[in-house]
Each structure stands twice: as structure tokens, then as C-alpha cells.
Amino acid sequence: MNRLLLVSSGLWCLGAVAMAQAENFALVVGVDKYKDFNSLDGAVNDAKVVAEALKSAGVKHVITLVNDQASRNNIKNAWDEISKQAKTGDSVYLSYAGHGSQLPERIKGSETDGLDEFYVLGKFAESGKNTFERIVDDDLWEWFGKRPDLNIVLISDSCHSGTMTRAYQTSKLKRRRVTIKGIQQDALPLPANPQMVDEQKNVLTHVISISGVHDNEEVPEVRIENTPHGALSWFFAKGILGEADFNRDGAVSLSELKPYLNEKVKMQTEGIQHPEINFINDRELFRVSPNKAISGSGGTSLGFAVVNISGNDTAVNFVLANLKNVATTDKQNADLFWDVDKHRLVDKNNNIVAAFAGSGETTTRGYKRLNEADAALGELLTGIQTAVDGYRNKQSNVTKTMRDIGQGALALGIKADSNQLEFANSVLKQLSGYKVADKVKASLEWDVGNNLIRNEFSDVVYHFSKDDGQTRGIARIGKDDSLPLVKNLQGVINKYRLVESFKCINDGSLAVRLLPDDKLHKKGDKLAIQVEQIRNPFLTVFNLAVDGTLNFLYPVLQTDILQIPLDRPYKIDDLEVTEPFGGDHFVVILSDHPLLGLHKTLKSIQDAGAPATDALKQVILEELSSGGYQLGILPSFTANVN
């Protein structure tokens, strides 16, 4: 319900002491089963993961309503119960996953766009008594408006309008929207106080809205870990448990959750879905434990050693007594060692992970004197703990990728009639790295009769052609690149397995945008890549083309700067769409040191003109394991259209 795209102010600015005394409440709703409309598969799954995440994040009062439980009366009664229990300064989360729709406003002049948006509940009908089974945005406006002393977060994983603009055919994915032509014999009474629900007169500054899409988009259900979900609900749950804690300070803030959701949802849906999160004042949402803040760590401890103590015994003893997620050992067996004299943490490859500079005459070898230890040692411990947790997070993600990617088979669907099956089977026998899957579960579908491959969103990602001399799909203007197109289904399979591996180590901290937009582009269109939320200065960009071949994009020209500014977005604005058409994937890496070895590998793979393989994966993982990095995936879809 995008009209609740409101701001944080007032109570959202309460200090840490006040917030520590506040309680959290949640009402979580998910509807898959519909009496008169198409069923969904992932809304109840969403309700379950969101409810569990909220409980794990410390929300003690969680009410979950799914399918038939989620009637209008039950939802209203649950809200009233929460409203009765919640005290001034408490936080309330209301999450909905299911169908949405819209109709002309019932109270004239109350809506900016003239339309009421509403949640479609399971027994809703377009006429008669079951027209009552819906939650209109006016309802939420009235409920929330009666409790301006609460901090309210609304999570809407549904849509009320929009289209999936890129697909050549109707998408196989279920979408969370139904079209209602009109309501007859409406059983839902009008709000008792029309003035209260007038969005143009009453701004609810105590409400923050997290919506699945912009007004012109749809919410598709996607398969995550082989289970149907809405991407927004899934990553909201992951984010509040620590994956969105980019600075590893043990807290997830609004300013961290917003870019995390934007990038993760966009990546999962191949640029189809863009969440909408609006606020003014940043604030902490949830505290997370060190283990929860480390994605994929599995709870393992790092081997940790201390060298060159030189009289700083008290500082060392204090840190070792309070440092978490480490097991002390000798330098030879340590993952990290703390060189006290040189004020730095170093990994087993002698790469500096963190440095602690001295602060003048009031320090002893870079640390406060012992008579100032209470504050100083706390700061030192925080710095070392942050570095340890960040290193564990990075290593666990990289290790997970090294272990998992290349092992799992890509789910490949086959669309072929009886006359094509023999040919298709003869091709499949020569391929590797895939498993045959039905259409719903397939990541890619080979349409044998139409000579093309589609992704799960029905984008044409590869079109087989008889021409051998075509160049790859996205090229830098002014850069000669005429390597032949390799027409090989194996290359496409390898490419998408690589893309999945890079997604595994994308933490959502890097924002990458395709300009002017994410829509379908045609030959000759001029595009740009804009990189935002930059934390590391060394930029590397390459494109995995439709066929799996590689185009090294940055740095390649003499005018390309090796270190980009950290204080503003950076744009590569000389890209042009060329043949062949389909789905390209830009891989954008920001690192804290030049990736010269990777650049050499990228150029070598490009010059060979063959599809990228696990060799590229291994080089990237090795390069990323030696320092700080951010990594983003940006899909681009092109077609031969007018």
C-alpha cells in the first residue's frame, strides 16, 4: 500500500535509553488460498519466515494469521489486542503477504491518486457479504492514526497494479495482484471518521512503510532455496537478523536495511522488482548477536594469536577476556594474529585486515594508558571485534561459495514437442552441470522449437542464431571488440551457474544501477552503469554475455582511473547495446586494493573468446579473500525490437 510511504520523526528519534525500555509487537498475515481468485504458493511461507525472524530478533509478542485465519475480523481483533497492550514508545510491525488490488476511492478526495488500495483476503468476493473480506488503506490509516504514540512499520509484500514489462510471453510466475472490476452490494462500512483517513490532510509521521514494488510494478513469487516466496519478505527476514548490518556494529538500522532490500530484491528478481522504503531520520531497528550478524558463519571460531605484546599485558588480557568468536592459538595456526606493537590485525597470508593508529603522547604503543583504560580499552575491543566479525563474515561467504558453487546443478526446463524430443535428448547427453526440472522449478527453460532460452521471468536470455561473426552484447564505445559469438548451450549453463555464485557473495551493500532504466533495450541504445554506496576505491567491471563469453569493461581504457571517488556515485556512461540479444549480467567489484591478477585473467578469458568457467570463479574468490570488497550483480536485457 504505497500511499503509506511515510517518514520517521518524532518518536522514531527516541534515545537509546528510552528505546531499550520499549517493547516490540507484531501482526503477521499471509494468504495463499483464495475462494474466487488464483491461489498463491509463497505468502504463507513468507508469514512463517517473517514471524520467526521477528521472534529471533527479540519481538516477544507476535500474532500470526494465515489463510482462513486471516479474516478481516480476526485481523482487526489482533490489531486491537496489540494496540491495547502497546505503550507509548513501543514498536509495532504489521506484515502482509498475499494478493492486492485497487478500486476508485470510496471517500471522494481522500486519495492523491483517486484510488483505494487494499489487501485481498481469502474469502473476498466482488459482490455480497464477502466484499467485507478486505483491508483497505483507509482502514490502516484509521488504525494507525489512533495510536500516534507508537512506532509502526508496515511491510507489504503485495501489489495493486503494474506490469512485468520485459517478458515476451505471460510469465510462469504467480503474481500477487488481482483485477477487481467493481464491487456490488458492498458489505464494508465506510470509515466512521472520513477526515481521519484523508491522506492529503493527515500525515502519519510515526509510520514507516516498506513496500514490495513501485506503483507500476508487480510482485512475482520466486523460488528461494527451492521454496516459493516473495523476495521482499525473505530478505526482510534475513536483513533484520544481521545480514543488513553492513558496519558490523551489532545493530540493523533503517539506513542499512533500505539499500540491503533494494539490492537483494532487485538481484533476486533480475531487476523486475524494486522495493520502496521511505524515511527521514535514521534509527536502529534491532540489535543482533555477533553470531546472527555473521551470515553463513555456522558459529565457527577464528584461530586468534597475539604477538609483540611489549608491556601491553593489561590491554591484551582485557581484549582476550572479552573478544567473541575466536579461539586463541599460536601464530602458525592462527587465522588472524594481533601484532600489538604494530597496532594491526594480520591474516595468515600476511594481509593487513585492520590497523589501529597511535594517538600521540597520551598513548603507549598506540593504546591509552592504563589509568584511562575503562573507555580506551572498550574502544579497542570494539575495533578488534568489528574487524574479527567482518573477517569471519567475508571468509564464511567466500568459503561457502567455494564449496557450493560448481557443485549444484542448474535446474533446466525443456519445452519441446514429440518431434523435437529426440534431438533435445541427444544434446542434453552432451551437457554437464544441469538437471532437468519442470517449468515451475526451472531457472532456465530451453524452448527447442523457437530456438531460445528463457529465464524464470520469461525474459529471453539467449537466442540461437546461424550467424557466427556477431560481437558480444554490451561493448565500451571506443574499444575494439569483435570476438565471435560462441553458440553453445553449455556456455549458457556455465554462465548462470557463475552468476549464482556471485550472488552468494553479494551482501547488498553496493548499489548498482542501469541507466536510464531496467527495461528491455534495443540495438544502439546508450546505457550507463552507476555505482553508489561506495566503500572501497578500486573498481572492476566485466560483463557475462548472453552466451557466457566475457567482456572486460573497466579498467580497460587509458582514461579509466584506477581509484574512484568514495564521496559520490561513479558512472560508466559509454556503453552501447549490440548483437547478440538476450540477457547480460554485469559484475561490479569494489575492492580495497587493485585486483591486478583478476584484470589479467579477465583479459585472457576475453581474448580467448570462450565461455567463462570455474577458473574465473577461483581467481575472483582468491582475490576477494585477501582484502575488503563489495560485489554487485546487474542484469541487462536486450532484444531486436523497433
Side-chain angles (χ1 to χ4, degrees):
M1 294 195 174
N2 291 349
R3 85 164 190 172
L4 287 170
L5 298 174
L6 300 176
V7 300
S8 57
S9 60
L11 285 168
W12 287 109
C13 300
L14 289 172
V17 174
M19 291 306 298
Q21 297 172 348
E23 290 190 80
N24 292 324
F25 298 80
L27 171 55
V28 181
V29 178
V31 182
D32 281 335
K33 296 180 180 180
Y34 285 87
K35 179 177 179 290
D36 291 348
F37 304 99
N38 292 335
S39 66
L40 297 171
D41 296 324
V44 172
N45 293 335
D46 288 347
K48 292 177 180 178
V49 298
V50 169
E52 287 303 314
L54 289 168
K55 292 175 184 177
S56 296
V59 181
K60 297 180 180 178
H61 311 280
V62 179
I63 300 174
T64 304
L65 300 173
V66 299
N67 288 330
D68 288 345
Q69 299 171 342
S71 66
R72 176 183 169 86
N73 282 336
N74 285 349
I75 293 172
K76 180 60 166 63
N77 291 339
W79 174 262
D80 289 344
E81 179 183 338
I82 288 173
S83 183
K84 183 178 180 179
Q85 295 182 41
K87 304 180 299 296
T88 295
D90 287 347
S91 295
V92 178
Y93 294 81
L94 196 162
S95 173
Y96 172 80
H99 279 313
S101 193
Q102 63 183 181
L103 283 171
E105 60 186 0
R106 300 195 301 162
I107 300 175
K108 297 299 181 183
S110 64
E111 305 285 348
T112 303
D113 60 1
L115 297 169
D116 281 334
E117 286 81 40
F118 59 93
Y119 298 149
V120 181
L121 304 180
K123 293 183 179 180
F124 173 79
E126 295 180 80
S127 65
K129 65 178 183 179
N130 282 344
T131 57
F132 181 78
E133 293 299 330
R134 68 192 197 269
I135 304 292
V136 185
D137 51 9
D138 290 346
D139 297 320
L140 298 179
W141 208 269
E142 185 175 20
W143 301 353
F144 297 166
K146 291 179 178 179
R147 290 303 308 266
D149 58 328
L150 298 178
N151 305 312
I152 298 173
V153 179
L154 175 67
I155 305 104
S156 298
D157 205 347
S158 65
C159 54
H160 51 78
S161 65
T163 57
M164 299 177 71
T165 58
R166 290 197 316 248
Y168 278 81
Q169 63 177 21
T170 302
S171 172
K172 67 184 180 182
L173 301 171
K174 291 188 176 181
R175 291 164 286 175
R176 294 182 176 178
R177 175 180 71 89
V178 294
T179 300
I180 308 296
K181 296 180 180 180
I183 291 181
Q184 305 297 323
Q185 302 173 334
D186 195 351
L188 183 65
L190 290 172
N193 187 348
Q195 295 296 318
M196 178 176 286
V197 301
D198 189 334
E199 69 173 49
Q200 302 184 67
K201 295 181 180 179
N202 297 294
V203 178
L204 304 183
T205 57
H206 62 300
V207 179
I208 291 174
S209 176
I210 301 175
S211 301
V213 289
H214 294 175
D215 285 343
N216 63 339
E217 297 176 340
E218 291 189 337
V219 172
E221 292 197 329
V222 296
R223 297 191 73 82
I224 303 176
E225 296 187 0
N226 205 35
T227 303
H229 281 284
L232 178 71
S233 295
W234 176 267
F235 287 113
F236 174 81
K238 293 292 184 181
I240 65 173
L241 289 181
E243 284 195 6
D245 181 17
F246 295 144
N247 61 10
R248 299 301 163 196
D249 65 351
V252 175
S253 65
L254 284 168
S255 63
E256 291 175 313
L257 186 63
K258 178 176 180 176
Y260 172 84
L261 289 177
N262 280 334
E263 293 308 305
K264 285 290 195 176
V265 171
K266 182 177 69 173
M267 178 191 71
Q268 187 67 42
T269 61
E270 293 284 80
I272 281 178
Q273 186 178 344
H274 302 79
E276 202 161 13
I277 307 109
N278 288 271
F279 62 90
I280 291 178
N281 298 311
D282 190 21
R283 72 170 291 268
E284 176 184 308
L285 288 177
F286 292 104
R287 300 295 300 178
V288 293
S289 69
N291 283 340
K292 290 177 183 174
I294 298 172
S295 171
S297 66
T300 57
S301 297
L302 288 177
F304 190 81
V306 181
V307 300
N308 299 327
I309 297 176
S310 300
N312 280 290
D313 299 42
T314 301
V316 170
N317 290 336
F318 175 82
V319 170
L320 291 181
N322 293 280
L323 193 61
K324 300 177 181 178
N325 304 318
V326 299
T328 55
T329 185
D330 55 36
K331 181 180 177 182
Q332 183 177 355
N333 295 310
D335 297 295
L336 288 179
F337 66 87
W338 176 18
D339 190 327
V340 182
D341 278 1
K342 294 183 179 179
H343 325 302
R344 63 192 187 187
L345 291 181
V346 182
D347 69 13
K348 55 189 174 185
N349 297 317
N350 290 317
N351 298 303
I352 297 175
V353 173
F356 309 94
S359 56
E361 295 181 353
T362 61
T363 64
T364 301
R365 300 188 184 277
Y367 305 107
K368 298 275 186 176
R369 293 184 185 275
L370 298 183
N371 59 3
E372 301 172 300
D374 287 346
L377 292 183
E379 293 176 4
L380 174 62
L381 173 63
T382 298
I384 294 177
Q385 186 71 68
T386 299
V388 166
D389 288 348
Y391 184 83
R392 286 181 72 232
N393 179 64
K394 181 183 67 177
Q395 293 300 311
S396 64
N397 279 335
V398 171
T399 300
K400 180 180 185 297
T401 302
M402 293 181 71
R403 180 183 70 245
D404 294 344
I405 301 305
Q407 305 300 320
L410 183 82
L412 180 66
I414 309 298
K415 183 179 180 181
D417 61 31
S418 57
N419 296 326
Q420 299 160 345
L421 283 177
E422 183 177 356
F423 165 72
N425 288 330
S426 68
V427 173
L428 294 175
K429 289 178 181 178
Q430 303 176 60
L431 301 176
S432 62
Y434 77 95
K435 62 180 179 182
V436 175
D438 62 42
K439 180 178 180 179
V440 174
K441 296 182 179 180
S443 299
L444 295 178
E445 181 185 61
W446 177 21
D447 187 335
V448 180
N450 289 310
N451 298 314
L452 52 82
I453 301 173
R454 294 187 179 93
N455 66 10
E456 60 184 315
F457 303 98
S458 291
D459 295 303
V460 175
V461 301
Y462 186 79
H463 204 300
F464 295 94
S465 170
K466 296 180 180 179
D467 300 325
D468 292 329
Q470 300 178 48
T471 56
R472 292 189 297 276
I474 303 290
R476 290 288 296 277
I477 298 171
K479 179 172 178 287
D480 182 23
D481 192 351
S482 58
L483 294 173
L485 173 67
V486 179
K487 305 167 191 175
N488 194 313
L489 184 55
Q490 185 69 64
V492 179
I493 292 172
N494 291 347
K495 174 229 173 126
Y496 275 87
R497 294 175 74 208
L498 277 174
V499 168
E500 289 304 311
S501 73
F502 299 142
K503 286 181 179 180
C504 286
I505 52 176
N506 172 2
D507 66 359
S509 67
L510 177 62
V512 187
R513 298 171 57 199
L514 186 65
L515 303 177
D517 52 50
D518 292 322
K519 295 181 180 179
L520 192 69
H521 297 284
K522 63 182 184 298
K523 183 177 181 179
D525 282 355
K526 302 300 189 295
L527 305 177
I529 297 173
Q530 183 160 297
V531 185
E532 303 171 357
Q533 297 160 205
I534 300 169
R535 301 181 182 180
N536 298 284
F538 295 95
L539 176 64
T540 300
V541 183
F542 62 91
N543 175 44
L544 289 174
V546 299
D547 61 332
T549 54
L550 184 144
N551 200 359
F552 184 20
L553 298 175
Y554 195 100
V556 293
L557 303 180
Q558 291 184 346
T559 54
D560 291 340
I561 59 175
L562 196 59
Q563 294 190 63
I564 65 174
L566 297 177
D567 59 348
R568 58 186 181 274
Y570 189 77
K571 185 187 295 184
I572 304 173
D573 57 4
D574 54 356
L575 301 173
E576 182 177 9
V577 176
T578 67
E579 297 176 291
F581 306 113
D584 294 78
H585 286 79
F586 299 102
V587 180
V588 180
I589 301 173
L590 289 174
S591 55
D592 61 4
H593 63 286
L595 304 180
L596 301 181
L598 175 59
H599 296 167
K600 183 178 179 180
T601 298
L602 293 174
K603 187 176 186 307
S604 175
I605 295 173
Q606 174 183 265
D607 291 346
T613 65
D614 280 358
L616 172 62
K617 177 192 70 176
Q618 294 300 330
V619 171
I620 289 178
L621 294 173
E622 289 172 8
E623 291 271 4
L624 297 185
S625 67
S626 63
Y629 70 89
Q630 297 167 276
L631 185 146
I633 308 290
L634 182 64
S636 170
F637 295 89
T638 61
N640 189 17
V641 295
N642 296 325

